[in-house]
Amino acid sequence: MDLRTLFHTATPVIGVVHLLPLPTSARWGGSLKAVIDRAEQEATALASGGANAIIVENFFDAPFTKDRVDAAVVSAMTLVVQRLKNLVALPIGLNVLRNDAFSGLAIAACTGAQFIRVNVLTGVMATDQGIIEGQAHQLLRYRRELGQDIKIFADVMVKHAQPLHSPNLATAVRDTFERGLADGVILSGWATGHPPSEEELSVAASAAKGQPLFIGSGASWDNVEQFAPYVNGVIVASSLKRNGQIEQPIDPVRVSRFVEAWQRAHHKIQELNRANGNCRGSVSEPLPTMVVHGQK
């Protein structure tokens, strides 16, 4: 897919709105107004700071169910997304944790949200919620039934999980695109706030063969120049929070600082491309390591 069609840029920054605990979750505080107010505050901060899109997650609902969430969670997230759609003019996506992609698609279809994140689309992962199996066949059929072109971005080797087979990152990336029919692939580190290694990003970028690849955790203004050559976009949360603390709200100043660092990194890539006679103008393919880092 062409990311510019959805995000109006080939290198989007997708900021995450972590919803406060929702009804029926273990830490539900009893006030949906507080959830909505915080979400609106964070969406405004992301928009004013220059993010290209927003993804809404029920992040503070942990401990999560491994499959379908309660109907109250679906209702609450639908209400929040609709409020955000009326507040900011950015594309909005959903990640219904831990792996309820069906509810994510349903909410997106009813609210006009444009994309979802799926933690396990293909394969089998051992997680802190138990064994989670990908359901690409059922999910893609459900999207067809809804009649909506909602993009599906899928994790490979998702964080807080281990595959039940010998991991082969390149194969997992190819299978997620070719057999799971994902519109984009997300590569994260081992846990929230931790980035993948540069080696892992290089392997994933080669396997993606120009298809959309996102870094899904651990990105900060200190490391985006290192990681930007391998990915098309970034999904970011922790480094945008006040004082870098995950439980704090998003700070628009930190959003601006991150976006500026991301844009500088891609400007350098474009300059290197031009200097080497390669005028791709995007990062649909990774730059050779020797070009980016001055190494042999």
Side-chain angles (χ1 to χ4, degrees), residues 54-65:
I54 291 169
I55 187 166
V56 179
E57 290 186 353
N58 55 323
F59 180 82
F60 290 111
D61 280 359
F64 305 111
T65 178

Side-chain angles (χ1 to χ4, degrees), residues 10 13 21 33 45 80 95 119 156 171-172 191 255 278 283:
V13 173
K33 181 179 184 301
V80 169
N95 186 14
N119 288 167
V156 292
T171 300
V255 178
N278 183 353
V283 290

Side-chain angles (χ1 to χ4, degrees), residues 133-276:
E133 299 181 30
Q135 295 183 304
H137 171 73
Q138 298 93 324
L139 187 66
L140 271 291
R141 285 169 60 90
Y142 187 50
R143 181 174 68 174
R144 186 186 65 188
E145 291 172 4
L146 289 171
Q148 304 274 348
D149 188 23
I150 299 161
K151 302 304 181 184
I152 296 174
F153 300 145
D155 286 89
V156 292
M157 307 297 184
V158 67
K159 55 191 174 182
H160 302 288
Q162 291 291 330
L164 289 187
H165 58 284
S166 298
N168 184 310
L169 180 57
T171 300
V173 170
R174 287 194 294 267
D175 281 353
T176 303
F177 277 121
E178 297 171 7
R179 298 171 65 84
L181 300 186
D183 297 296
V185 157
I186 303 165
L187 187 64
S188 300
W190 63 272
T192 298
H194 295 267
S197 69
E198 189 171 355
E199 180 182 0
E200 290 169 331
L201 286 168
S202 178
V203 169
S206 296
K209 297 180 180 178
Q211 297 176 93
L213 179 65
F214 298 85
I215 183 170
S217 69
S220 71
W221 50 73
D222 292 322
N223 63 23
V224 290
E225 185 172 346
Q226 174 187 359
F227 296 147
Y230 302 101
V231 297
N232 302 85
V234 58
I235 300 173
V236 58
S238 301
S239 64
L240 307 184
K241 300 297 187 80
R242 187 180 300 158
N243 300 321
Q245 301 298 312
I246 195 68
E247 71 278 359
Q248 293 294 317
I250 290 174
D251 182 345
V253 175
R254 293 177 72 93
V255 178
S256 297
R257 184 176 177 184
F258 181 91
V259 171
E260 289 169 2
W262 178 255
Q263 292 174 342
R264 282 197 305 270
H266 282 287
H267 178 72
K268 289 183 179 180
I269 292 169
Q270 291 170 353
E271 290 298 315
L272 283 169
N273 284 340
R274 282 192 285 269
N276 286 277

